[in-house]
mmCIF file with all atom_site columns, all heavy atoms in Angstrom:
data_model
loop_
_atom_site.group_PDB
_atom_site.id
_atom_site.type_symbol
_atom_site.label_atom_id
_atom_site.label_alt_id
_atom_site.label_comp_id
_atom_site.label_asym_id
_atom_site.label_entity_id
_atom_site.label_seq_id
_atom_site.pdbx_PDB_ins_code
_atom_site.Cartn_x
_atom_site.Cartn_y
_atom_site.Cartn_z
_atom_site.occupancy
_atom_site.B_iso_or_equiv
_atom_site.pdbx_formal_charge
_atom_site.auth_seq_id
_atom_site.auth_comp_id
_atom_site.auth_asym_id
_atom_site.auth_atom_id
_atom_site.pdbx_PDB_model_num
ATOM 1  N N   . ALA T 1 51  ? 94.991  100.100 86.419  1.00 98.00 ? 55  ALA T N   1
ATOM 2  C CA  . ALA T 1 51  ? 96.072  100.962 86.032  1.00 98.00 ? 55  ALA T CA  1
ATOM 3  C C   . ALA T 1 51  ? 96.015  102.349 86.688  1.00 98.00 ? 55  ALA T C   1
ATOM 4  O O   . ALA T 1 51  ? 96.160  103.371 86.000  1.00 98.00 ? 55  ALA T O   1
ATOM 5  C CB  . ALA T 1 51  ? 96.064  101.136 84.555  1.00 98.00 ? 55  ALA T CB  1
ATOM 6  N N   . LEU T 1 89  ? 100.423 114.758 100.233 1.00 98.00 ? 93  LEU T N   1
ATOM 7  C CA  . LEU T 1 89  ? 101.243 113.681 100.904 1.00 98.00 ? 93  LEU T CA  1
ATOM 8  C C   . LEU T 1 89  ? 101.142 114.145 102.455 1.00 98.00 ? 93  LEU T C   1
ATOM 9  O O   . LEU T 1 89  ? 102.132 114.598 102.980 1.00 98.00 ? 93  LEU T O   1
ATOM 10 C CB  . LEU T 1 89  ? 102.632 113.781 100.392 1.00 98.00 ? 93  LEU T CB  1
ATOM 11 C CG  . LEU T 1 89  ? 102.666 113.661 98.884  1.00 98.00 ? 93  LEU T CG  1
ATOM 12 C CD1 . LEU T 1 89  ? 104.142 113.736 98.430  1.00 98.00 ? 93  LEU T CD1 1
ATOM 13 C CD2 . LEU T 1 89  ? 102.005 112.432 98.343  1.00 98.00 ? 93  LEU T CD2 1
ATOM 14 N N   . LEU T 1 105 ? 102.895 103.504 108.795 1.00 96.00 ? 109 LEU T N   1
ATOM 15 C CA  . LEU T 1 105 ? 102.933 103.207 107.392 1.00 96.00 ? 109 LEU T CA  1
ATOM 16 C C   . LEU T 1 105 ? 103.066 104.502 106.500 1.00 96.00 ? 109 LEU T C   1
ATOM 17 O O   . LEU T 1 105 ? 103.848 104.524 105.592 1.00 96.00 ? 109 LEU T O   1
ATOM 18 C CB  . LEU T 1 105 ? 101.696 102.378 106.983 1.00 96.00 ? 109 LEU T CB  1
ATOM 19 C CG  . LEU T 1 105 ? 101.789 101.516 105.815 1.00 96.00 ? 109 LEU T CG  1
ATOM 20 C CD1 . LEU T 1 105 ? 102.665 100.302 105.988 1.00 96.00 ? 109 LEU T CD1 1
ATOM 21 C CD2 . LEU T 1 105 ? 100.337 101.063 105.383 1.00 96.00 ? 109 LEU T CD2 1
ATOM 22 N N   . LYS T 1 156 ? 101.064 116.143 118.144 1.00 98.00 ? 160 LYS T N   1
ATOM 23 C CA  . LYS T 1 156 ? 102.307 116.411 118.675 1.00 98.00 ? 160 LYS T CA  1
ATOM 24 C C   . LYS T 1 156 ? 102.753 115.298 119.633 1.00 98.00 ? 160 LYS T C   1
ATOM 25 O O   . LYS T 1 156 ? 103.872 114.989 119.817 1.00 98.00 ? 160 LYS T O   1
ATOM 26 C CB  . LYS T 1 156 ? 102.253 117.701 119.509 1.00 98.00 ? 160 LYS T CB  1
ATOM 27 C CG  . LYS T 1 156 ? 102.242 118.960 118.588 1.00 98.00 ? 160 LYS T CG  1
ATOM 28 C CD  . LYS T 1 156 ? 103.589 119.162 117.850 1.00 98.00 ? 160 LYS T CD  1
ATOM 29 C CE  . LYS T 1 156 ? 104.682 119.758 118.890 1.00 98.00 ? 160 LYS T CE  1
ATOM 30 N NZ  . LYS T 1 156 ? 105.916 120.109 118.199 1.00 98.00 ? 160 LYS T NZ  1
ATOM 31 N N   . ARG T 1 303 ? 96.571  126.178 88.617  1.00 98.00 ? 307 ARG T N   1
ATOM 32 C CA  . ARG T 1 303 ? 95.245  125.573 89.161  1.00 98.00 ? 307 ARG T CA  1
ATOM 33 C C   . ARG T 1 303 ? 95.188  125.496 90.663  1.00 98.00 ? 307 ARG T C   1
ATOM 34 O O   . ARG T 1 303 ? 96.219  125.277 91.228  1.00 98.00 ? 307 ARG T O   1
ATOM 35 C CB  . ARG T 1 303 ? 95.085  124.099 88.479  1.00 98.00 ? 307 ARG T CB  1
ATOM 36 C CG  . ARG T 1 303 ? 94.736  124.081 87.040  1.00 98.00 ? 307 ARG T CG  1
ATOM 37 C CD  . ARG T 1 303 ? 95.018  122.701 86.421  1.00 98.00 ? 307 ARG T CD  1
ATOM 38 N NE  . ARG T 1 303 ? 94.239  121.701 87.200  1.00 98.00 ? 307 ARG T NE  1
ATOM 39 C CZ  . ARG T 1 303 ? 92.994  121.221 86.880  1.00 98.00 ? 307 ARG T CZ  1
ATOM 40 N NH1 . ARG T 1 303 ? 92.358  121.794 85.904  1.00 98.00 ? 307 ARG T NH1 1
ATOM 41 N NH2 . ARG T 1 303 ? 92.485  120.250 87.560  1.00 98.00 ? 307 ARG T NH2 1
ATOM 42 N N   . VAL T 1 310 ? 82.682  114.046 100.960 1.00 96.00 ? 314 VAL T N   1
ATOM 43 C CA  . VAL T 1 310 ? 82.820  112.622 101.364 1.00 96.00 ? 314 VAL T CA  1
ATOM 44 C C   . VAL T 1 310 ? 81.389  112.092 101.394 1.00 96.00 ? 314 VAL T C   1
ATOM 45 O O   . VAL T 1 310 ? 80.669  112.394 102.409 1.00 96.00 ? 314 VAL T O   1
ATOM 46 C CB  . VAL T 1 310 ? 83.551  112.489 102.712 1.00 96.00 ? 314 VAL T CB  1
ATOM 47 C CG1 . VAL T 1 310 ? 83.624  111.008 103.095 1.00 96.00 ? 314 VAL T CG1 1
ATOM 48 C CG2 . VAL T 1 310 ? 84.903  113.144 102.574 1.00 96.00 ? 314 VAL T CG2 1
ATOM 49 N N   . ALA T 1 344 ? 87.860  126.201 86.477  1.00 98.00 ? 348 ALA T N   1
ATOM 50 C CA  . ALA T 1 344 ? 88.535  125.540 85.410  1.00 98.00 ? 348 ALA T CA  1
ATOM 51 C C   . ALA T 1 344 ? 87.947  124.150 85.116  1.00 98.00 ? 348 ALA T C   1
ATOM 52 O O   . ALA T 1 344 ? 87.962  123.641 83.868  1.00 98.00 ? 348 ALA T O   1
ATOM 53 C CB  . ALA T 1 344 ? 90.069  125.383 85.677  1.00 98.00 ? 348 ALA T CB  1
ATOM 54 N N   . ALA T 1 427 ? 108.172 82.062  98.336  1.00 30.00 ? 431 ALA T N   1
ATOM 55 C CA  . ALA T 1 427 ? 107.749 81.361  99.496  1.00 30.00 ? 431 ALA T CA  1
ATOM 56 C C   . ALA T 1 427 ? 106.298 81.114  99.458  1.00 30.00 ? 431 ALA T C   1
ATOM 57 O O   . ALA T 1 427 ? 105.550 81.727  98.682  1.00 30.00 ? 431 ALA T O   1
ATOM 58 C CB  . ALA T 1 427 ? 108.120 82.208  100.743 1.00 30.00 ? 431 ALA T CB  1
#
Side-chain angles (χ1 to χ4, degrees):
L93 311 177
L109 201 69
K160 287 287 286 186
R307 285 164 56 91
V314 179

